[in-house]
Amino acid sequence: MSAAVLPDFLPPELALALAGAERHETSCQSARMVWHAWGSVAAPTLVLLHGGSGSWTHWVRVIAPLRDAGWRVLVPDLPGFGDSDLPLGCSDVDDLPAHLHAGLQQLQGAGLCAGPVSVAGFSFGGMAGALWLAEHPQDAAQLVLVGAPGMGLASPDRTPLKGWRHLQSPVAREEVHRHNLLALMLQAPEALDDLALRLHSANVQRDRMPRRRLSSTDIVARVLPQVKARVSAIFGEHDALYRGRLSELAAALPLMASRWGCWQVVPGAGHWVQYEAAALFNAALLEALSPEPKI
């Protein structure tokens, strides 16, 4: 274990709230996976899985409140993202379950968390969580899908994302990042603050798994019946992945899961709901993780 190094551009109050973060490394197939951790090792464990082209910082605004609510919060950089290695031959989400399972086993074996854990997965991380727990159902008691694709219900009415790697000008790259954040991640223009832009810019530069394709399939819908954990879902009202189809998803998800928990929509928020509406999202997540959800 070592002290985690936080991004130097975090606002002072957020840096203070996240102080004391631990950095842990696990290994699978000769690839190193980096985890950030907060909270007491004796507390129930919540694993947060970030989205595509992201890192642990996709959860930066909700970690401290979840820790303060009594959780041991573990947030890995998924293989191929952030500080974690890209394993040989790893090209999409279906290659990740072995690494998540091995990592959790190593952390539990070192006394760094208790099990079974709860898992919340955002977007690509929701796909990873579903595939992980379908293959290793003993690892977690609960799964919360946050804006997860892979349901076979993609919206045809999406604003195309723009490429940026070919651009040499920092100003031109920033313009593309702003476009992409509003096209996919955030609903309200005012939610695209300096922190969101800097987090996104730092994350996409470290994405080493660029040709992912399974998010446009129904892979999550197909594996959810194999997940023994209780499954709940939280989506932003204006999630760009499901524009015009959120009601269909709300009806379909309880039929996909073998153990259904609850469905919650965060009003006014887009895809990156835990950033854009952090307080509302935290309340929804804690409700979903409660022993008997009321919704």
Side-chain angles (χ1 to χ4, degrees), residues 10-17:
L10 293 182
E13 66 277 9
L14 189 53
L16 181 62

Side-chain angles (χ1 to χ4, degrees), residues 74-94:
L74 292 177
V75 198
D77 284 349
L78 292 172
F81 304 93
D83 289 339
S84 294
D85 295 337
L86 175 65
L88 183 65
C90 182
S91 62
D92 212 324
V93 67
D94 55 341

